[in-house]
Amino acid sequence: MNTFTPRFYFTDTAEQILIQRDDEKQLSVERVSCFYVVHLLFFSLHTSHPKFILLMTHLHIGFVGTGRIARALIGGLSKRENTVISGFDKEPAALSAISADYPVQPCLSIEEVARKAQVIILAVKPYQIAEVLDKLKPSLNANHLMISVAAGISSEFIRTNAIEELKVIRVMPNTPAFVGEGMTALCRGKMATDKDLALASELFSSIGKVLILDESQMDAATALSGSGPAYMFSILDSLAEGGRLCGLSYDEALLLAAQTMIGAAKMALSGTKNPDELKRDVTTPGGTTEAGLKVMDEKNIRQILVETVAAAAARSRELMK
């Protein structure tokens, strides 16, 4: 007889149990009586064939929206122990795709996500937030932790449009999360606790680095790290085109530029020297670097980048109007 190791995840109602066999990717859901739960506990302690493992502590995370950032986060969280993931998307094809790739329980409605999950991650566009909260509101309670990735949407707006006692964490991740090198800024709303903030930090650490900020700083973080990958890609493309015009193929030039950016970033993050000191270490009077930097100074590239971040931050603030 083939043995198997089912894992049991209890919901907070104690009426539902999620069962996963070793040979199954998806969790199956069965409603059980309290008597059966007690019987199962006794059986697990007194039998070894088939072997049962009961996990009495678990976290159920529900996603509303399963787009690019949600997919990256689900990819990281799918490796987290004692974690159940469910999701809803208005596009059935998107939900089916992510459920096929990761152990995600598909939900038929937003309300079902709220009924199942302890942590709800709002991974929708800013203009969709009010409508989503209106649908979620009847199913929410003070025990829910809501994490929003919507740019420019304050925690107070979420509480006002949901329930006042809702615990809210606002986050701003970025697309390098797809390769495990994301940068996520986090802040907590009025009702969220240190424990809630620590949990959110741990969850988003699965896709890169995290930084805890005050909510007043989130528009700046959105402009810098949230939008920042697009700036970096634009700079990389420009550098690669410069390399191509100087005799390299575009692919060769892109490799040289991208790896140089990775290395320079690691040096800047090491904390041994600030970026200006590191720049001076590369620059020899009368040399090639000085010639290139002279053009950047003449074109005022520094001020252009400063204004780029300022414009993005202003737009983030406008999203709340």
Side-chain angles (χ1 to χ4, degrees):
M1 179 185 296
N2 292 328
T3 63
F4 63 90
T5 307
R7 293 173 174 82
F8 300 89
Y9 304 86
F10 290 87
T11 67
D12 53 7
T13 63
E15 294 179 340
Q16 204 173 59
I17 190 167
L18 307 178
I19 304 176
Q20 183 178 35
R21 293 172 54 123
D22 280 346
D23 58 350
E24 292 178 336
K25 188 175 185 179
Q26 290 290 90
L27 294 174
S28 61
V29 180
E30 296 181 13
R31 290 203 171 275
V32 297
S33 65
C34 291
F35 172 80
Y36 182 71
V37 171
V38 172
H39 176 75
L40 187 59
L41 283 167
F42 178 83
F43 183 69
S44 68
L45 294 173
H46 293 84
T47 187
S48 59
H49 183 76
K51 184 172 58 177
F52 285 86
I53 297 177
L54 268 66
L55 303 176
M56 296 304 294
T57 58
H58 75 284
L59 182 68
H60 193 137
I61 303 171
F63 283 80
V64 177
T66 58
R68 290 172 60 78
I69 288 297
R71 173 174 280 271
L73 185 55
I74 287 169
L77 293 178
S78 63
K79 305 177 183 69
R80 189 179 188 272
E81 293 185 355
N82 300 354
T83 302
V84 180
I85 302 173
S86 61
F88 169 80
D89 198 293
K90 65 178 183 178
E91 298 293 338
L95 185 57
S96 295
I98 203 160
S99 298
D101 293 339
Y102 298 104
V104 176
Q105 297 177 29
C107 293
L108 298 178
S109 67
I110 289 176
E111 295 85 351
E112 184 181 351
V113 173
R115 289 195 299 269
K116 285 184 174 182
Q118 299 149 299
V119 177
I120 301 172
I121 297 182
L122 293 182
V124 298
K125 300 296 184 182
Y127 71 87
Q128 298 172 315
I129 285 289
E131 179 184 355
V132 168
L133 291 175
D134 186 60
K135 291 181 179 179
L136 278 173
K137 185 174 181 178
S139 304
L140 295 174
N141 60 61
N143 293 321
H144 279 116
L145 172 61
M146 184 168 289
I147 301 176
S148 170
V149 303
I153 304 300
S154 70
S155 62
E156 191 65 21
F157 179 90
I158 293 172
R159 288 178 55 249
T160 300
N161 286 271
I163 57 174
E164 287 294 323
E165 60 269 32
L166 185 64
K167 300 179 293 184
V168 180
I169 300 289
R170 181 178 167 189
V171 303
M172 177 46 59
N174 62 14
T175 56
F178 301 135
V179 292
E181 293 291 345
M183 181 69 243
T184 302
L186 305 93
C187 70
R188 69 179 180 184
K190 181 179 178 181
M191 304 304 294
T193 65
D194 289 342
K195 184 178 179 181
D196 298 324
L197 191 60
L199 174 59
S201 296
E202 188 245 311
L203 296 180
F204 281 83
S205 291
S206 68
I207 55 172
K209 296 185 182 298
V210 299
L211 177 66
I212 297 173
L213 298 174
D214 184 80
E215 187 158 12
S216 64
Q217 300 172 295
M218 288 298 287
D219 292 319
T222 298
L224 186 53
S225 61
S227 301
Y231 315 152
M232 303 303 171
F233 296 141
S234 180
I235 292 168
L236 279 173
D237 183 56
S238 300
L239 291 172
E241 179 61 13
R244 187 188 69 80
L245 294 175
C246 291
L248 298 166
S249 71
Y250 182 84
D251 288 344
E252 291 169 337
L254 182 61
L255 173 61
L256 290 169
Q259 182 56 43
T260 298
M261 184 177 282
I262 291 172
K266 287 185 175 181
M267 291 180 72
L269 289 174
S270 70
T272 55
K273 294 182 179 180
N274 64 45
D276 189 62
E277 291 172 321
L278 292 169
K279 181 183 73 174
R280 284 190 269 112
D281 287 346
V282 184
T283 308
T284 302
T288 59
T289 305
E290 186 179 69
L293 288 174
K294 182 180 179 182
V295 176
M296 294 182 72
D297 290 340
E298 289 173 349
K299 302 295 184 181
N300 209 1
I301 297 300
R302 177 185 176 87
Q303 186 59 31
I304 289 173
L305 293 174
V306 169
E307 291 178 10
T308 296
V309 175
R315 179 55 185 155
S316 180
R317 290 189 291 271
E318 289 173 358
L319 291 174
M320 277 302 301
K321 296 178 181 180

